Amino acid sequence: MSDTKTKPKKNPLEDPRVTKNDDGSYTVTLAQAVQLVEGDAPLTSLTLRRVKGRAMVSMLDTAGEGSRLETLMLASAGLVGPKGEALIDNVDGSDFLLLIDVAATFLGNGQTTGQ
């Protein structure tokens, strides 16, 4: 019989790239800079804030787990429209996973993303 223990999930807030700000938001330093607007400096960090009710409704109305996580992260970052699309199109996969993990911490222990 094989041992199928799963590793406990690490707390994303303990990642050295995550800094808690005085206002309760978190700044995440990206491993790979992201170009949002041609001609502007690439984005090297992103600040995530608590998600408000309207954003939660949008997230819960979104079909598919990946799309819900995307909506949650973009709402937390305050990015909508073309800048939000550019972030999703260009963000490194490991950065995306850290960003959604940090954004999800604002939801506490209750329902997260459509469970």
Side-chain angles (χ1 to χ4, degrees):
M1 190 176 261
S2 67
D3 186 7
T4 57
K5 289 183 183 177
T6 58
K7 291 182 182 179
K9 188 167 182 169
K10 288 185 177 181
N11 181 347
L13 302 180
E14 294 175 357
D15 189 293
R17 297 178 291 158
V18 179
T19 304
K20 185 171 186 173
N21 303 313
D22 291 338
D23 64 357
S25 65
Y26 292 96
T27 298
V28 178
T29 301
L30 303 174
Q32 299 291 318
V34 178
Q35 187 73 44
L36 295 185
V37 178
E38 191 172 324
D40 284 359
L43 189 67
T44 58
S45 66
L46 198 61
T47 299
L48 303 175
R49 293 173 174 76
R50 295 190 68 79
V51 180
K52 305 295 183 191
R54 177 69 57 203
M56 288 298 299
V57 170
S58 294
M59 182 195 74
L60 294 171
D61 282 348
T62 303
E65 186 69 13
S67 295
R68 285 188 192 106
L69 294 171
E70 172 188 347
T71 303
L72 171 66
M73 191 267 293
L74 290 176
S76 182
L79 290 174
V80 295
K83 285 188 176 183
E85 292 296 321
L87 177 68
I88 295 301
D89 287 345
N90 297 302
V91 70
D92 184 74
S94 65
D95 286 334
F96 178 78
L97 292 175
L98 178 58
L99 289 166
I100 60 172
D101 283 348
V102 171
T105 65
F106 292 120
L107 301 179
N109 293 330
Q111 182 168 338
T112 55
T113 53
Q115 293 180 355

